[in-house]
Structure formats: structure tokens, C-alpha cells
Amino acid sequence: MQRWNTKEISRTLTNEIIAGKYPEGSLLPTRTTLAKRFSVARATIDSAVSNLVAAGMIQSRRGAGSIIINTIHQYRFAFIGNSPISHTQINRNDITFFPMATKSLSTKAAREQLRQFDGIIWNMPQKNELQWATTIQNPPPQIVINRTPPSLNYVSTDHTNAIFQITSERLTLHPNWTPVFLNLQRQGLADVLTMRQNGFIKACRKH
């Protein structure tokens, strides 16, 4: 049976509001009902609801319940490491990235502050940073770029090796075919295209 904490309850209710389960102008279930649903104390629900009030999603009035006033949540992501992200690259008004230098997280107290975010992105972390990621108490969802730790989600942007492997497999299957790289120029993808082309050329040379 899941043991819910304040942050997890806030996140679950936020996602339900965004998904339309509780439309704007409707009431959130009573705190007693929520306490029973999540099997937690009333004080935990009070804290979770306070988080939604602070986020501007609900308005809570004594005797009137908690009214949904906004169904768009401003997501806050910590982006740790050398960050290629800038606000101009994000075409959404509900996401804010907070680039953070790794050295700013050298103490446990600093790392525990990461819990205030909706998510954490670790950009190509070193071994000690991966250990930090796995020891944060009750962390928000985390994702790791270009590393494959056993207990965390990860995403790969290694286009060179990916295309190298795919092309090598196909050249092995069809050794008499002539491989062709389709170069579609797209704005903003020049670096990605170069990495893919390098992987393709490397495979052809090896073959």
C-alpha cells in the first residue's frame, strides 16, 4: 500500500485538475474525503491543499470549500549541469526551467532543496551526481540525460552512436545495397543532423 506524502498528494491533485477531473469553478473534494482517499492525516491534506493555493490553482475559503480557479499549472524544472536550454527555446507558457550549476549542490542541504521543483533533469551527471540523485529524500520525478543508472529514468541524445548502430545493422543485413543518408535541412536541427551524419559515415567506413 502506497504511503503518500504532501508533495505526492499535491502533484496528484494538480495532474487531476489539469486533466479536467475538477473543472474550473468546481469544488475540490472535502479535506476529510481526501484524507480517507490517501489514507493520511488531515494535517497532511491541509499542507497539500496549501501547496495548490500557493500555486494559484485553487482558492480555499472557510465554510465554502476549495474552489478550482485555474487549470494551468506552472511547472518548475531544475536543469542541473551545462544547460543548452534557454527560455526562448521553450514554446510553452506552463514550464519554467531553472539552470543550476553542479557545484551549487555540493551539500546535502542544497540537494534537499531540489524537492521544491516539479521535476529534476540531470544533464550528463558524473558518478557522484548520480549518487546524489538516488539519495534525495522523497524527490520529484527525475530524468537523466545520456547516462543509464539502474534506478532512474533516462533519455539519450547520443545521435552519433545511435545512427552508427542502426546503419551498421542494416549494412550487415544488406551488404550489396548502397546506403544513402537523407539530409533534410531543418531550422534548429543543424547540430543534430551533423551528429547523425557522422554516425552514418562512421558505419559506412567500418563496413
Short mmCIF file of all heavy atoms in Angstrom, two decimals, residues 12-63:
data_model
loop_
_atom_site.label_atom_id
_atom_site.label_comp_id
_atom_site.label_asym_id
_atom_site.label_seq_id
_atom_site.Cartn_x
_atom_site.Cartn_y
_atom_site.Cartn_z
N THR A 12 -0.50 14.80 -7.46
CA THR A 12 -1.62 14.01 -7.98
C THR A 12 -2.85 14.88 -8.21
O THR A 12 -3.48 14.81 -9.27
CB THR A 12 -1.97 12.88 -6.99
OG1 THR A 12 -0.85 12.00 -6.87
CG2 THR A 12 -3.17 12.08 -7.48
N LEU A 13 -3.18 15.73 -7.25
CA LEU A 13 -4.34 16.61 -7.40
C LEU A 13 -4.13 17.61 -8.52
O LEU A 13 -5.06 17.91 -9.29
CB LEU A 13 -4.62 17.33 -6.08
CG LEU A 13 -5.08 16.43 -4.92
CD1 LEU A 13 -5.21 17.25 -3.64
CD2 LEU A 13 -6.41 15.76 -5.25
N THR A 14 -2.91 18.12 -8.65
CA THR A 14 -2.58 19.05 -9.73
C THR A 14 -2.82 18.39 -11.09
O THR A 14 -3.45 18.97 -11.98
CB THR A 14 -1.12 19.52 -9.62
OG1 THR A 14 -0.97 20.30 -8.45
CG2 THR A 14 -0.72 20.35 -10.83
N ASN A 15 -2.32 17.18 -11.24
CA ASN A 15 -2.49 16.46 -12.51
C ASN A 15 -3.96 16.20 -12.81
O ASN A 15 -4.39 16.27 -13.97
CB ASN A 15 -1.71 15.14 -12.48
CG ASN A 15 -0.21 15.36 -12.50
OD1 ASN A 15 0.26 16.40 -12.94
ND2 ASN A 15 0.54 14.38 -12.02
N GLU A 16 -4.74 15.91 -11.79
CA GLU A 16 -6.17 15.66 -11.98
C GLU A 16 -6.91 16.93 -12.39
O GLU A 16 -7.82 16.90 -13.22
CB GLU A 16 -6.76 15.06 -10.71
CG GLU A 16 -6.28 13.64 -10.45
CD GLU A 16 -6.81 13.05 -9.15
OE1 GLU A 16 -7.37 13.81 -8.32
OE2 GLU A 16 -6.66 11.83 -8.96
N ILE A 17 -6.49 18.06 -11.82
CA ILE A 17 -7.11 19.34 -12.19
C ILE A 17 -6.79 19.67 -13.64
O ILE A 17 -7.66 20.07 -14.43
CB ILE A 17 -6.63 20.47 -11.25
CG1 ILE A 17 -7.19 20.25 -9.84
CG2 ILE A 17 -7.06 21.84 -11.78
CD1 ILE A 17 -6.60 21.19 -8.79
N ILE A 18 -5.51 19.50 -14.02
CA ILE A 18 -5.09 19.79 -15.40
C ILE A 18 -5.81 18.88 -16.39
O ILE A 18 -6.20 19.30 -17.48
CB ILE A 18 -3.57 19.61 -15.52
CG1 ILE A 18 -2.85 20.67 -14.69
CG2 ILE A 18 -3.12 19.70 -16.97
CD1 ILE A 18 -1.36 20.45 -14.56
N ALA A 19 -6.02 17.62 -15.99
CA ALA A 19 -6.67 16.64 -16.87
C ALA A 19 -8.18 16.87 -16.99
O ALA A 19 -8.84 16.24 -17.82
CB ALA A 19 -6.40 15.23 -16.36
N GLY A 20 -8.74 17.77 -16.18
CA GLY A 20 -10.16 18.08 -16.29
C GLY A 20 -11.07 17.35 -15.32
O GLY A 20 -12.29 17.46 -15.40
N LYS A 21 -10.49 16.58 -14.41
CA LYS A 21 -11.33 15.88 -13.45
C LYS A 21 -12.08 16.86 -12.56
O LYS A 21 -13.22 16.62 -12.17
CB LYS A 21 -10.46 14.94 -12.59
CG LYS A 21 -11.26 14.10 -11.60
CD LYS A 21 -10.38 13.10 -10.87
CE LYS A 21 -11.19 12.24 -9.90
NZ LYS A 21 -10.35 11.23 -9.23
N TYR A 22 -11.43 17.97 -12.24
CA TYR A 22 -12.06 19.04 -11.46
C TYR A 22 -12.00 20.31 -12.30
O TYR A 22 -11.00 21.02 -12.28
CB TYR A 22 -11.33 19.23 -10.13
CG TYR A 22 -11.18 17.96 -9.32
CD1 TYR A 22 -9.91 17.42 -9.09
CD2 TYR A 22 -12.27 17.30 -8.79
CE1 TYR A 22 -9.75 16.26 -8.36
CE2 TYR A 22 -12.13 16.13 -8.06
CZ TYR A 22 -10.87 15.62 -7.85
OH TYR A 22 -10.72 14.46 -7.13
N PRO A 23 -13.06 20.63 -13.05
CA PRO A 23 -13.05 21.80 -13.93
C PRO A 23 -12.98 23.11 -13.15
O PRO A 23 -13.28 23.16 -11.95
CB PRO A 23 -14.38 21.69 -14.70
CG PRO A 23 -14.84 20.28 -14.49
CD PRO A 23 -14.31 19.86 -13.16
N GLU A 24 -12.59 24.16 -13.84
CA GLU A 24 -12.54 25.48 -13.23
C GLU A 24 -13.94 25.87 -12.73
O GLU A 24 -14.94 25.71 -13.42
CB GLU A 24 -12.06 26.51 -14.26
CG GLU A 24 -11.71 27.85 -13.67
CD GLU A 24 -10.99 28.75 -14.66
OE1 GLU A 24 -10.18 28.23 -15.46
OE2 GLU A 24 -11.24 29.96 -14.61
N GLY A 25 -14.00 26.34 -11.49
CA GLY A 25 -15.27 26.73 -10.88
C GLY A 25 -15.88 25.64 -10.02
O GLY A 25 -16.81 25.90 -9.25
N SER A 26 -15.36 24.41 -10.15
CA SER A 26 -15.89 23.31 -9.34
C SER A 26 -15.16 23.24 -8.00
O SER A 26 -14.19 23.96 -7.77
CB SER A 26 -15.73 21.98 -10.08
OG SER A 26 -14.35 21.64 -10.22
N LEU A 27 -15.65 22.40 -7.13
CA LEU A 27 -15.05 22.25 -5.81
C LEU A 27 -14.16 21.02 -5.74
O LEU A 27 -14.49 19.96 -6.30
CB LEU A 27 -16.15 22.12 -4.75
CG LEU A 27 -16.96 23.37 -4.41
CD1 LEU A 27 -18.11 23.01 -3.47
CD2 LEU A 27 -16.07 24.42 -3.76
N LEU A 28 -13.04 21.17 -5.07
CA LEU A 28 -12.21 20.03 -4.75
C LEU A 28 -12.94 19.21 -3.69
O LEU A 28 -13.68 19.77 -2.88
CB LEU A 28 -10.87 20.53 -4.20
CG LEU A 28 -9.65 19.60 -4.25
CD1 LEU A 28 -9.27 19.32 -5.71
CD2 LEU A 28 -8.48 20.26 -3.54
N PRO A 29 -12.79 17.89 -3.66
CA PRO A 29 -13.40 17.11 -2.58
C PRO A 29 -13.00 17.65 -1.21
O PRO A 29 -11.94 18.27 -1.07
CB PRO A 29 -12.85 15.70 -2.81
CG PRO A 29 -12.55 15.65 -4.27
CD PRO A 29 -12.08 17.03 -4.63
N THR A 30 -13.84 17.42 -0.22
CA THR A 30 -13.53 17.93 1.11
C THR A 30 -12.23 17.33 1.63
O THR A 30 -11.78 16.27 1.18
CB THR A 30 -14.65 17.57 2.09
OG1 THR A 30 -14.69 16.15 2.25
CG2 THR A 30 -16.00 18.08 1.60
N ARG A 31 -11.65 17.99 2.58
CA ARG A 31 -10.37 17.51 3.12
C ARG A 31 -10.53 16.17 3.84
O ARG A 31 -9.64 15.34 3.83
CB ARG A 31 -9.78 18.58 4.03
CG ARG A 31 -9.55 19.88 3.26
CD ARG A 31 -8.82 20.91 4.06
NE ARG A 31 -8.78 22.17 3.30
CZ ARG A 31 -7.90 23.13 3.46
NH1 ARG A 31 -6.96 23.01 4.38
NH2 ARG A 31 -7.94 24.24 2.75
N THR A 32 -11.70 15.98 4.44
CA THR A 32 -11.97 14.69 5.09
C THR A 32 -12.01 13.57 4.06
O THR A 32 -11.44 12.49 4.26
CB THR A 32 -13.31 14.74 5.84
OG1 THR A 32 -13.26 15.77 6.83
CG2 THR A 32 -13.61 13.40 6.52
N THR A 33 -12.66 13.86 2.92
CA THR A 33 -12.74 12.87 1.83
C THR A 33 -11.35 12.57 1.28
O THR A 33 -11.00 11.41 1.04
CB THR A 33 -13.64 13.40 0.69
OG1 THR A 33 -14.95 13.63 1.21
CG2 THR A 33 -13.71 12.39 -0.45
N LEU A 34 -10.54 13.61 1.10
CA LEU A 34 -9.19 13.42 0.57
C LEU A 34 -8.31 12.66 1.57
O LEU A 34 -7.49 11.83 1.18
CB LEU A 34 -8.56 14.77 0.25
CG LEU A 34 -9.17 15.52 -0.95
CD1 LEU A 34 -8.55 16.92 -1.07
CD2 LEU A 34 -8.96 14.75 -2.25
N ALA A 35 -8.49 12.94 2.85
CA ALA A 35 -7.72 12.23 3.87
C ALA A 35 -8.02 10.74 3.83
O ALA A 35 -7.12 9.89 3.97
CB ALA A 35 -8.02 12.81 5.25
N LYS A 36 -9.29 10.39 3.62
CA LYS A 36 -9.67 8.97 3.52
C LYS A 36 -9.11 8.36 2.23
O LYS A 36 -8.63 7.22 2.23
CB LYS A 36 -11.18 8.84 3.55
CG LYS A 36 -11.81 9.14 4.90
CD LYS A 36 -13.31 8.96 4.85
CE LYS A 36 -13.95 9.25 6.21
NZ LYS A 36 -15.42 9.11 6.16
N ARG A 37 -9.18 9.12 1.14
CA ARG A 37 -8.71 8.60 -0.15
C ARG A 37 -7.23 8.25 -0.10
O ARG A 37 -6.81 7.19 -0.59
CB ARG A 37 -8.95 9.64 -1.24
CG ARG A 37 -8.32 9.26 -2.58
CD ARG A 37 -8.41 10.39 -3.59
NE ARG A 37 -7.60 10.09 -4.76
CZ ARG A 37 -7.42 10.92 -5.79
NH1 ARG A 37 -8.02 12.11 -5.79
NH2 ARG A 37 -6.65 10.58 -6.81
N PHE A 38 -6.41 9.14 0.49
CA PHE A 38 -4.97 8.93 0.50
C PHE A 38 -4.48 8.25 1.79
O PHE A 38 -3.29 8.00 1.95
CB PHE A 38 -4.25 10.27 0.33
CG PHE A 38 -4.45 10.90 -1.03
CD1 PHE A 38 -5.30 11.98 -1.19
CD2 PHE A 38 -3.80 10.40 -2.14
CE1 PHE A 38 -5.49 12.57 -2.45
CE2 PHE A 38 -3.98 10.97 -3.39
CZ PHE A 38 -4.83 12.05 -3.55
N SER A 39 -5.41 7.98 2.70
CA SER A 39 -5.08 7.32 3.97
C SER A 39 -3.99 8.08 4.73
O SER A 39 -2.98 7.50 5.15
CB SER A 39 -4.63 5.87 3.71
OG SER A 39 -5.66 5.13 3.08
N VAL A 40 -4.21 9.38 4.87
CA VAL A 40 -3.27 10.22 5.60
C VAL A 40 -4.03 11.07 6.61
O VAL A 40 -5.26 11.15 6.59
CB VAL A 40 -2.48 11.15 4.64
CG1 VAL A 40 -1.61 10.34 3.69
CG2 VAL A 40 -3.42 12.06 3.87
N ALA A 41 -3.28 11.74 7.46
CA ALA A 41 -3.89 12.62 8.45
C ALA A 41 -4.42 13.89 7.79
O ALA A 41 -3.96 14.30 6.72
CB ALA A 41 -2.86 12.98 9.53
N ARG A 42 -5.38 14.51 8.45
CA ARG A 42 -5.96 15.74 7.93
C ARG A 42 -4.89 16.83 7.75
O ARG A 42 -4.94 17.61 6.79
CB ARG A 42 -7.04 16.21 8.91
CG ARG A 42 -7.59 17.63 8.69
CD ARG A 42 -8.39 17.77 7.42
NE ARG A 42 -8.82 19.15 7.25
CZ ARG A 42 -10.01 19.61 7.62
NH1 ARG A 42 -10.89 18.78 8.17
NH2 ARG A 42 -10.33 20.87 7.44
N ALA A 43 -3.91 16.86 8.63
CA ALA A 43 -2.85 17.87 8.54
C ALA A 43 -2.06 17.73 7.24
O ALA A 43 -1.62 18.74 6.65
CB ALA A 43 -1.92 17.76 9.74
N THR A 44 -1.86 16.50 6.78
CA THR A 44 -1.15 16.28 5.52
C THR A 44 -1.93 16.83 4.35
O THR A 44 -1.38 17.46 3.43
CB THR A 44 -0.88 14.77 5.31
OG1 THR A 44 -0.16 14.26 6.43
CG2 THR A 44 -0.09 14.52 4.04
N ILE A 45 -3.25 16.63 4.37
CA ILE A 45 -4.11 17.18 3.32
C ILE A 45 -4.11 18.70 3.37
O ILE A 45 -4.05 19.37 2.33
CB ILE A 45 -5.55 16.64 3.45
CG1 ILE A 45 -5.58 15.12 3.24
CG2 ILE A 45 -6.48 17.34 2.46
CD1 ILE A 45 -5.12 14.68 1.86
N ASP A 46 -4.13 19.26 4.57
CA ASP A 46 -4.08 20.72 4.71
C ASP A 46 -2.83 21.28 4.04
O ASP A 46 -2.89 22.29 3.33
CB ASP A 46 -4.09 21.12 6.19
CG ASP A 46 -5.44 20.89 6.85
OD1 ASP A 46 -6.45 20.74 6.12
OD2 ASP A 46 -5.49 20.85 8.10
N SER A 47 -1.70 20.61 4.23
CA SER A 47 -0.45 21.06 3.63
C SER A 47 -0.49 20.93 2.11
O SER A 47 -0.03 21.81 1.37
CB SER A 47 0.73 20.26 4.18
OG SER A 47 0.89 20.47 5.56
N ALA A 48 -1.06 19.82 1.63
CA ALA A 48 -1.15 19.60 0.18
C ALA A 48 -2.05 20.65 -0.47
O ALA A 48 -1.72 21.19 -1.54
CB ALA A 48 -1.68 18.19 -0.10
N VAL A 49 -3.16 20.94 0.17
CA VAL A 49 -4.08 21.95 -0.36
C VAL A 49 -3.43 23.33 -0.33
O VAL A 49 -3.58 24.13 -1.25
CB VAL A 49 -5.41 21.96 0.43
CG1 VAL A 49 -6.27 23.15 0.05
CG2 VAL A 49 -6.18 20.66 0.17
N SER A 50 -2.66 23.60 0.70
CA SER A 50 -1.94 24.88 0.79
C SER A 50 -0.98 25.04 -0.38
O SER A 50 -0.79 26.14 -0.90
CB SER A 50 -1.17 24.96 2.11
OG SER A 50 -2.06 25.01 3.21
N ASN A 51 -0.37 23.92 -0.83
CA ASN A 51 0.52 23.98 -1.99
C ASN A 51 -0.24 24.38 -3.25
O ASN A 51 0.26 25.14 -4.08
CB ASN A 51 1.19 22.62 -2.21
CG ASN A 51 2.24 22.31 -1.16
OD1 ASN A 51 2.71 23.20 -0.47
ND2 ASN A 51 2.59 21.05 -1.04
N LEU A 52 -1.46 23.88 -3.39
CA LEU A 52 -2.27 24.22 -4.56
C LEU A 52 -2.73 25.68 -4.50
O LEU A 52 -2.83 26.34 -5.54
CB LEU A 52 -3.49 23.30 -4.65
CG LEU A 52 -3.21 21.81 -4.87
CD1 LEU A 52 -4.52 21.05 -5.01
CD2 LEU A 52 -2.35 21.60 -6.09
N VAL A 53 -2.99 26.16 -3.30
CA VAL A 53 -3.34 27.58 -3.12
C VAL A 53 -2.15 28.45 -3.51
O VAL A 53 -2.28 29.43 -4.25
CB VAL A 53 -3.77 27.87 -1.67
CG1 VAL A 53 -3.93 29.38 -1.45
CG2 VAL A 53 -5.07 27.15 -1.33
N ALA A 54 -0.96 28.07 -3.04
CA ALA A 54 0.26 28.83 -3.35
C ALA A 54 0.56 28.81 -4.84
O ALA A 54 1.11 29.78 -5.39
CB ALA A 54 1.44 28.26 -2.57
N ALA A 55 0.19 27.74 -5.52
CA ALA A 55 0.42 27.62 -6.97
C ALA A 55 -0.64 28.36 -7.77
O ALA A 55 -0.55 28.43 -9.01
CB ALA A 55 0.44 26.15 -7.38
N GLY A 56 -1.65 28.91 -7.10
CA GLY A 56 -2.68 29.68 -7.78
C GLY A 56 -3.72 28.84 -8.49
O GLY A 56 -4.43 29.34 -9.37
N MET A 57 -3.84 27.55 -8.10
CA MET A 57 -4.79 26.68 -8.77
C MET A 57 -6.14 26.64 -8.08
O MET A 57 -7.17 26.39 -8.72
CB MET A 57 -4.22 25.26 -8.89
CG MET A 57 -2.92 25.21 -9.66
SD MET A 57 -2.50 23.54 -10.23
CE MET A 57 -3.64 23.36 -11.61
N ILE A 58 -6.15 26.82 -6.77
CA ILE A 58 -7.42 26.79 -6.05
C ILE A 58 -7.49 27.97 -5.09
O ILE A 58 -6.48 28.58 -4.74
CB ILE A 58 -7.62 25.47 -5.27
CG1 ILE A 58 -6.61 25.38 -4.11
CG2 ILE A 58 -7.51 24.26 -6.18
CD1 ILE A 58 -6.87 24.21 -3.20
N GLN A 59 -8.71 28.26 -4.69
CA GLN A 59 -8.95 29.28 -3.67
C GLN A 59 -9.71 28.60 -2.55
O GLN A 59 -10.74 27.97 -2.78
CB GLN A 59 -9.77 30.42 -4.26
CG GLN A 59 -9.89 31.63 -3.36
CD GLN A 59 -10.61 32.77 -4.06
OE1 GLN A 59 -11.82 32.69 -4.29
NE2 GLN A 59 -9.87 33.80 -4.43
N SER A 60 -9.18 28.67 -1.36
CA SER A 60 -9.77 27.96 -0.23
C SER A 60 -10.39 28.95 0.74
O SER A 60 -9.72 29.87 1.21
CB SER A 60 -8.70 27.12 0.47
OG SER A 60 -9.27 26.24 1.41
N ARG A 61 -11.68 28.77 1.01
CA ARG A 61 -12.40 29.65 1.92
C ARG A 61 -13.07 28.82 3.00
O ARG A 61 -13.67 27.79 2.73
CB ARG A 61 -13.46 30.46 1.18
CG ARG A 61 -12.90 31.42 0.14
CD ARG A 61 -14.01 32.15 -0.58
NE ARG A 61 -13.51 33.07 -1.59
CZ ARG A 61 -14.30 33.74 -2.43
NH1 ARG A 61 -15.61 33.56 -2.38
NH2 ARG A 61 -13.77 34.56 -3.32
N ARG A 62 -12.95 29.31 4.22
CA ARG A 62 -13.57 28.61 5.34
C ARG A 62 -15.08 28.55 5.14
O ARG A 62 -15.74 29.56 4.92
CB ARG A 62 -13.24 29.34 6.65
CG ARG A 62 -13.74 28.59 7.90
CD ARG A 62 -13.37 29.37 9.16
NE ARG A 62 -11.93 29.48 9.32
CZ ARG A 62 -11.19 28.54 9.89
NH1 ARG A 62 -11.75 27.41 10.33
NH2 ARG A 62 -9.88 28.71 10.01
N GLY A 63 -15.62 27.35 5.18
CA GLY A 63 -17.05 27.16 5.03
C GLY A 63 -17.52 27.04 3.60
O GLY A 63 -18.65 26.61 3.35
#
